[in-house]
Amino acid sequence: MPGCLILGYDDTPSARAALDVAIEQAKRFDERLVILFAYAPPGRSVGEEYSEHRRVLEEFGSVATSKAADKATAEGVDVEVLLVAERPSIALENAARARGARLIVVGTYGESPLRSAILGATPHKLLQFSETPVLCVPAGPR
Amino acid sequence: MESAGGSRETGSPEVSEHGLKENAIGFRDALIIGIASTAPAYSLAAVIGLVVVVVGVQAPAVLLASFIPMFFVATAFYYMNRADQDCGTTFSWVTRAMGPYLGWIGGWAICVTGILVVGSLADVAARYTYIFFGLDGLAGSKVAITLFAVVIIAATTALCVIGTELSARIQDVMIIAQVGALLLFAVVALVRVYGGTAPEGSLVPKLSWFSPFAVDTPSALIAGLLIGVFIYWGWESSVNLTEETENSESAPGLAAVASTVILLVTYLSVAAAVVGFGGVGTAERFADDDAILSTLATGVLGSPWDKLVVLAVLTSALASTQTTILPASRTVLSMARANAIPSALGATHPRFLTPHVSTIVVGALATLWYVPLNFLSENFLFDTLSALSLMIAFYYALTGFACAIYYRHELFKSAKNFLFIGLAPMVGALVLAYLFFRSIIDLASPDASYTGGSFLGLGLPLVIGLGFLLLGVILEIIWRLGGHGSFFGRRPETVSPEIAAGRARVKETAGAPPEED
């Protein structure tokens, strides 16, 4: 079984930049690209009803990931798509560990460390506890 | 090679079909959620003075009696949630059971209650923050309180957009501290009343304080019950939780019972303590002023322990500012997705994945309501609370009726069905509907308003409460005139026998027209 790398994808500009880097990586190392969209299930802590919100997120995720998957497929990369109902940082780490991924690729907004911490940015969290190497891709002009 | 969106994983292995982790909610969590969503410290601070004004020493009795219709209506929430776990709750359920026109108004009532109460919550949080830090000058200044309250609303709205919630552990500690502080206050106050060290004017509690039948006049009892409904608002969340682990263990069910008992004990003992320690006069003097608890706490516990009660009210109001914005914005989301309001309101933020448009709209409208009204009306809180109770009674009653109607083909299949799905929701709904109409009549007179505020010869609470319902009807008609047949063309349905028997879960068609069988 060939190796793989995990891409956290939410169709924001930095995620699209990360997609380009991930495709490049997957081609160079001949690896499978796992495109992962994660969303925290809403309302768990307050016992709220949530289903409509979850449907919105799932629709959003499948549209976002299918765009990314199309692009990667067009470049001849072997693609797998995952939609996970979990906080993104945890979902990425779990998926990377379960598949023995070589690398996690995520986009960054290029925010200050304080702002990242306040907003709970995924790369910020991931860097703290991931056992898999993390590649952060800024959204800058490419 | 898989095509786009091909392989789907609903999550890590322990994630159940509907996305919640099974057994994610244990006894302690369910207990905490049950208590947290009712915000006991804030509810007491806001309501206890008013209840005493209306019914005197029978305040505990009214708090006890108002629990009964709430308990019955909670069974409706439980069974409707089982059939349809939509974040639009009443909106979605009433639409299914009683058609789109009533459903729309139910959703509107939820949104409006949320929008109206956020200002009051932030107001209390602001005032108690000043009191906590000993800034008594600022705590007495309306401008300072309003400014800080607006900051709190903005910050909470931002938090809801970003999707950050306080860590569960911090929340647990805050809730336990909240109930602990209230019980400490009640116990010390009662010990001092019985020990004779309470100040002049204190009363030794009598058993009749807890008897609803001892209330002087029926209209006083009705007015008290309507306010009492407000303090149990949100309690149904703890009932809904039992769904998640129903088949695996009875812990959540037990927790729902335990949280209810804790809530009742807290409410009754604090009510008895307030009336007993301060006498009726103190409570009447404060009436709508929520400073009643902090002031009495200073008398009961002395400095610095009185700060515990201040902190309890402060954290309770802060936490419920967030838990109030969330359901309102989720109902907006559900309505937007069902084509019942402009779909732009249902937009989701690409990065934070929260319904940011509806959240910001709710926060902005709450500010627009709170700031001018706070300066216009001296007794903003009182009139808003009475109006809110009116609307809460309205949509709870609607939900109760919806449950019995939605399950009507299942009611006679077993005694259990009849009692819990039919009779209990109906009784709860009838009581709340009666309260709703009786208070419309009672509140119609300006004298009924504590503030004496009136508009076109009607009491201000009634103008706020009914005015918003009428505004809803007008907006609904406008929306209907614009077409939107996919929503308004929906026919009432009934529950499928499989779901009623708990053998299957509903496919998540919530908000969207249901699939044809």
Side-chain angles (χ1 to χ4, degrees):
Chain A
M1 178 177 157
C4 73
L5 56 107
I6 312 270
L7 169 69
Y9 193 80
D10 60 1
D11 206 32
T12 52
S14 65
R16 287 194 283 270
L19 172 65
D20 292 341
V21 172
I23 290 173
E24 218 173 271
Q25 287 281 322
K27 283 205 291 205
R28 183 160 307 171
F29 288 88
D30 193 24
E31 285 172 332
R32 159 180 274 217
L33 175 58
V34 179
I35 300 175
L36 185 150
F37 172 82
Y39 56 95
R44 181 148 84 205
S45 63
V46 284
E48 295 287 340
E49 297 78 5
Y50 47 82
S51 71
E52 196 56 32
H53 191 180
R54 221 193 68 179
R55 272 164 59 94
V56 172
L57 299 185
E58 279 173 358
E59 277 170 27
F60 184 87
S62 51
V63 171
T65 48
S66 69
K67 276 197 233 165
D70 286 347
K71 182 166 181 184
T73 307
E75 302 230 12
V77 174
D78 185 13
V79 174
E80 179 183 349
V81 170
L82 289 180
L83 298 181
V84 183
E86 182 54 273
R87 277 170 295 172
S89 51
I90 293 171
L92 286 167
E93 167 67 4
N94 283 348
R97 209 182 316 187
R99 287 169 171 71
R102 178 176 61 88
L103 201 60
I104 298 174
V105 186
V106 285
T108 68
Y109 281 75
E111 286 154 340
S112 75
L114 182 63
R115 196 175 143 90
S116 292
I118 292 171
L119 294 182
T122 300
H124 185 88
K125 287 181 190 159
L126 206 51
L127 289 174
Q128 315 296 328
F129 63 82
S130 174
E131 290 172 8
T132 310
V134 180
L135 177 59
C136 295
V137 183
R142 286 174 63 86
Chain B
M1 195 170 294
E2 273 151 341
S3 66
S7 111
R8 258 183 170 232
E9 195 178 74
T10 40
S12 33
E14 72 271 31
V15 172
S16 72
E17 56 178 306
H18 55 301
L20 284 189
K21 272 187 190 165
E22 281 183 23
N23 296 322
I25 308 221
F27 179 82
R28 197 200 57 189
D29 297 321
L31 186 72
I32 295 284
I33 290 166
I35 298 172
S37 37
T38 24
Y42 161 74
S43 305
L44 272 172
V47 156
I48 187 72
L50 297 174
V51 177
V52 177
V53 169
V54 177
V55 296
V57 293
Q58 262 81 43
V62 163
L63 298 191
L64 188 62
S66 13
F67 176 69
I68 294 162
M70 295 304 292
F71 177 76
F72 285 154
V73 164
T75 61
F77 273 81
Y78 175 76
Y79 282 102
M80 288 312 290
N81 191 47
R82 182 154 109 179
D84 175 15
Q85 303 197 335
D86 192 312
C87 55
T89 58
T90 297
F91 161 69
S92 174
W93 301 335
V94 175
T95 300
R96 280 171 185 274
M98 297 156 83
Y101 291 92
L102 280 173
W104 199 97
I105 287 294
W108 169 260
I110 293 192
C111 297
V112 171
T113 45
I115 289 167
L116 296 196
V117 83
V118 165
S120 308
L121 286 161
D123 189 275
V124 172
R127 190 198 326 266
Y128 275 74
T129 306
Y130 289 141
I131 296 176
F132 183 73
F133 289 107
L135 304 166
D136 292 343
L138 291 175
S141 151
K142 188 170 258 191
V143 176
I145 289 176
T146 309
L147 274 178
F148 192 31
V150 170
V151 171
I152 290 174
I153 297 175
T156 322
T157 307
L159 276 184
C160 290
V161 169
I162 297 169
T164 304
E165 287 177 29
L166 269 182
S167 102
R169 203 52 55 82
I170 297 176
Q171 212 173 352
D172 292 1
V173 172
M174 271 167 48
I175 296 300
I176 292 163
Q178 191 187 127
V179 172
L182 288 175
L183 287 176
L184 177 74
F185 163 78
V187 168
V188 173
L190 291 174
V191 165
R192 290 188 57 186
V193 167
Y194 281 106
T197 60
E200 194 86 5
S202 70
L203 303 166
V204 174
K206 294 196 198 72
L207 217 52
S208 70
W209 289 12
F210 298 90
S211 163
F213 303 104
V215 179
D216 292 340
T217 63
S219 72
L221 179 63
I222 287 161
L225 283 179
L226 196 69
I227 302 170
V229 165
F230 181 78
I231 68 170
Y232 295 103
W233 186 29
W235 174 78
E236 72 278 353
S237 296
S238 65
V239 184
N240 290 350
L241 280 176
T242 54
E243 184 71 2
E244 267 132 51
T245 41
E246 196 185 28
N247 300 328
S248 47
E249 49 174 326
S250 60
L254 270 179
V257 175
S259 70
T260 310
V261 171
I262 292 174
L263 209 59
L264 274 173
V265 167
T266 310
Y267 282 167
L268 295 186
S269 59
V270 171
V274 166
V275 178
F277 192 84
V280 177
T282 309
E284 283 182 344
R285 198 153 43 75
F286 280 96
D288 66 310
D289 186 351
D290 47 67
I292 181 169
L293 272 190
S294 63
T295 311
L296 274 177
T298 310
V300 171
L301 299 172
S303 192
W305 298 105
D306 56 339
K307 294 285 193 215
L308 283 179
V309 175
V310 173
L311 194 62
V313 178
L314 164 60
T315 52
S316 160
L318 263 186
S320 31
T321 313
Q322 183 169 8
T323 51
T324 306
I325 292 177
L326 286 176
S329 63
R330 302 246 181 85
T331 300
V332 172
L333 170 76
S334 179
M335 291 179 77
R337 299 258 304 165
N339 201 17
I341 50 174
S343 60
L345 288 167
T348 308
H349 192 281
R351 179 173 178 193
F352 303 122
L353 304 178
T354 50
H356 65 302
V357 175
S358 63
T359 309
I360 292 168
V361 165
V362 167
L365 289 178
T367 312
L368 283 179
W369 168 256
Y370 161 72
V371 174
L373 252 284
N374 202 21
F375 285 105
L376 274 180
S377 163
E378 272 302 304
N379 296 286
F380 165 76
L381 190 67
F382 176 88
D383 284 339
T384 308
L385 287 189
S386 301
L388 279 175
S389 300
L390 212 56
M391 272 185 284
I392 295 168
F394 173 79
Y395 81 73
Y396 273 179
L398 211 52
T399 311
F401 289 130
C403 178
I405 292 172
Y406 194 59
Y407 278 87
R408 64 180 177 274
H409 298 315
E410 310 298 320
L411 295 184
F412 299 100
K413 288 189 177 166
S414 74
K416 183 183 165 229
N417 280 10
F418 179 74
L419 282 178
F420 291 104
I421 312 180
L423 194 63
M426 279 300 276
V427 170
L430 284 172
V431 171
L432 288 168
Y434 176 74
L435 286 177
F436 177 77
F437 286 112
R438 249 320 275 271
S439 11
I440 287 181
I441 295 165
D442 286 351
L443 286 172
S445 145
D447 311 336
S449 159
Y450 167 76
T451 68
S454 70
F455 181 74
L456 297 177
L458 296 171
L460 198 55
L462 186 67
V463 174
I464 299 174
L466 274 194
F468 271 104
L469 285 180
L470 280 179
L471 178 64
V473 172
I474 294 168
L475 289 177
E476 182 179 11
I477 291 169
I478 293 173
W479 189 246
R480 177 71 190 102
L481 292 178
H484 308 106
S486 65
F487 174 67
F488 287 105
R490 283 175 62 179
R491 298 258 148 260
E493 334 147 24
T494 53
V495 69
S496 86
E498 287 290 294
I499 289 162
R503 285 193 296 271
R505 288 181 192 284
V506 73
K507 279 277 174 214
E508 288 167 2
T509 56
E515 292 151 34
E516 296 298 326
D517 291 353

